[in-house]
Amino acid sequence: MPGIFDTKIEFLKGVGPQRAVLINKELSIFTYGDLIQHYPFRYEDRSRFWKINQLSRDLENVQVVAKVKKLEILGIGGKRRLVAEVVDETGSMEMTWFKGIQWVQKKLPIGAVYVFFGKPAQFGRKWSIAHPEMEPLSQSREQRNSYQPVYSTTEKLKARFLDSRGISRLQEQLLALTQNQIRETLSTELMNRFGLIGKKEALKEIHFPSSGKALQAAKKRLKFEEFFFLQLRLLKMKLTRTAKSPGQILSNTDLLNEFYANHIPFELTNAQKRVIREAYRDMKSGKQMNRLIQGDVGSGKTMVAFICMLLAISSGAQSCLMAPTEILANQHFEGLKEYADLMNLKIALLTGSSKKSERSQIHEELLSGELKILIGTHALLEDVVQFKNLGLAIVDEQHRFGVAQRAKLWAKNENFLPHVLVMTATPIPRTLAMTLHGDLEISVIDELPAGRKPIQTVHRYDKDRSLVFSFIKKEIKKGRQVYIVYPLIDESEKLDLKNLMDGYESISRAFPEFPLSIVHGGMKADAKDYEMQRFVKAETKIMVATTVIEVGVNVPNASVMIIENAERFGLSQLHQLRGRVGRGAEQSYCVLMSKYELSKDSRIRLDTMVRTNDGFEIADVDLKLRGPGDMMGTQQSGVTDLLIADLSKDAPLLTLARDAAELTLGNDPDLSSEENRPILNQIRTQKKHAINWSRIS
Ligand code: ADP
Ligand code: MG
């Protein structure tokens, strides 16, 4: 049954069909429900009035009460402007309009007293405000408010008198009309326990705050609610799955003990040990494991993966590892083969370029159970790849795989879903991780192996290139190797290549004495591989490349990373690229080259890179700069449905909401109690709307 909040916006008094179309289009507001959730994005203090002689440069928007003394149109043609001279008892100033001149002229009779609002600027001695908001003093009573809401709107809407004030007037109407039909969506128990005000009060206070305190309470309540329903949904998914999915019990530790006693090449870090324990607990629990391992570049995820594989194999199961690219799959294979050989375990590599004969041998040995470990790319997902008993599937760089692909992995074992470990080197802040991967358990390797020297990062402008080149020379003479990376601009592969080739040429001119490698996306796999191998064997000293080297490549002797046009890269990409160095015993360096003129965001990105090596801190800044909507995987998670809550700023509330969701489902998994009725109703309403949405878009 549709409720009043499903009413189309055109039926609200003062809107009408024409403006409704515009509101639909400009703000994606279709119904009363959409409008009431169009919350102010900030509030302005309108309790304070300024005298003209009090104005100063550092003021933001101010409110001035003044009388219109003179109106004149200056300039000609497209440069015409309307200038009103206005006065109060302390002086005179100007209000200026470049658009809507006729309308304003009619509205401002000489001698009228108005409240003007806007940002003052000074020209010569004279203060002036361009396009002020204005209202006759007599009508402005409700403006004298410390928390005047400010709504986002657009130029087109403003031209139809739907500026922020106009929207506020609609909200006033709407609240008056609907206030008795606003339904509570949380249980009384939750509201009491977490100190939350009711929904009805919250909606009123968010649009028309009666005090600062009331506004805070309203924000808390509405943000909490958004987080709560998001978490509730994710937890519910998780519960449904774990209830359904028993897991193979993999508890034998014989192989692990043998490896530990005889072969392990280094002492594990405490973080590695902890994460292995967490995975082991899952694998022997009888329930299917779905665990995400977050670990910064170089934190040693490969070893953790191998030890988990040993646990699976010890109990008679097989395991596989899937990587997003062939280069990365290769690298994993090389690394893991070394360990597997020590343990006499059969391991194989399966990618798009595996030969037919290799393939059929792999298929056979997988079925017989002889092959214990399979490394590969998407090729692993093909239906012909069947295991005797796949116990553990590991996915590296998870964000490039969709849920559907994970499901394909699950289907590889008919008796039990294989345990799944997802490894990512793209650290995301815990708050975001909890939400994005609310259906996964999370482990964090938050410690790097001892003895690593932190990478030194500097930012240099293009004009200082010669200094950077002599630094490169010095390092190579010390025996090191160097990466020089060029950005990849997706729109034009040709342009990228030209950029790279120009760079390559100038580098070969600058360093005629050093052999170079070059790798880019347009090369055939074997040519790429050949060049990579020359660099790995230190036959070449400089690797000129596009971002194809971003993931995977491990050349411990390469200790210098030069990133060209660094301002064009995103933060997480810069961090990934930097992670290619710092893998050996020597001091490593990262040089970020950029042009001189930088946007504010670019500067923040580069400064952040210079300041810290901590992937989590970098991810936090990234989240703040880009907002969660742009980050990988957020689209399907429901994070982008958040209207008022902000993952990067409201982390503590998210944690509370998570607790609340756990508590609620813990006591009443089906939400069937009378107490939880409001919650259940809200979930049903949301479901209905989700369906509407998919029809619209
Ligand atoms: P990533 O987490 O980026 O995949 P890797 O697994 O490639 O990191 O490990 C990076 C390097 O650190 C490798 O050369 C690996 O052998 C080494 N390594 C891993 N764990 C340790 C450890 N506990 N002590 C010393 N070196 C380690
Ligand atoms: Mg790795």
Side-chain angles (χ1 to χ4, degrees), residues 32 84 96 116 189 290 303 380 484 493-494 542 623 649 682:
Y32 285 9
T96 318
F116 295 99
E189 189 196 337
N290 273 286
M303 181 52 85
L380 294 191
I484 304 181
E493 220 169 273
K494 262 194 198 137
I542 301 177
L623 178 64
K649 295 193 192 110
Q682 176 65 2

Side-chain angles (χ1 to χ4, degrees), residues 301-302 332 396:
K301 291 185 291 298
T302 317
H332 273 306
D396 196 13

Side-chain angles (χ1 to χ4, degrees), residues 276 349-350 585:
I276 291 166
L349 175 70
L350 180 70

Side-chain angles (χ1 to χ4, degrees), residues 265-269 272 295-304 332 339 396 423 425 445 448-450 452 552 554 556 579-580 583:
F266 39 68
E267 179 64 17
L268 294 177
T269 64
Q272 283 171 316
D296 210 344
V297 238
S299 61
K301 291 185 291 298
T302 317
M303 181 52 85
V304 171
H332 273 306
Y339 303 143
D396 196 13
M423 303 197 296
I445 312 183
L448 293 181
R452 295 262 173 86
N554 192 7
R580 295 308 104 206
R583 305 192 146 230

Side-chain angles (χ1 to χ4, degrees), residues 314-358:
S314 253
S315 292
Q318 294 158 294
S319 64
C320 69
L321 186 156
M322 186 162 79
T325 65
E326 213 156 293
I327 295 187
L328 196 52
N330 261 307
Q331 184 111 34
H332 273 306
F333 178 67
E334 300 290 332
L336 291 172
K337 187 168 185 333
E338 203 179 304
Y339 303 143
D341 287 350
L342 291 171
M343 296 292 294
N344 284 316
L345 296 173
K346 196 146 194 184
I347 180 171
L349 175 70
L350 180 70
T351 68
S353 34
S354 301
K355 292 198 190 70
K356 215 170 169 192
S357 56
E358 285 170 339

Side-chain angles (χ1 to χ4, degrees), residues 398-459:
Q398 177 264 348
H399 58 263
R400 307 195 185 197
F401 290 105
V403 176
Q405 285 165 320
R406 253 199 278 162
K408 272 200 156 180
L409 270 177
W410 292 341
K412 299 262 172 216
N413 189 324
E414 284 168 15
N415 302 316
F416 289 105
L417 295 188
H419 296 288
V420 175
L421 264 188
V422 168
M423 303 197 296
T424 173
T426 312
I428 48 177
R430 207 169 175 90
T431 49
L432 186 59
M434 261 169 69
T435 310
L436 281 186
H437 308 292
D439 60 329
L440 299 175
E441 305 296 330
I442 296 174
S443 291
V444 182
I445 312 183
D446 50 6
E447 181 187 355
L448 293 181
R452 295 262 173 86
K453 293 197 179 78
I455 302 164
Q456 286 183 24
T457 303
V458 294
H459 173 201

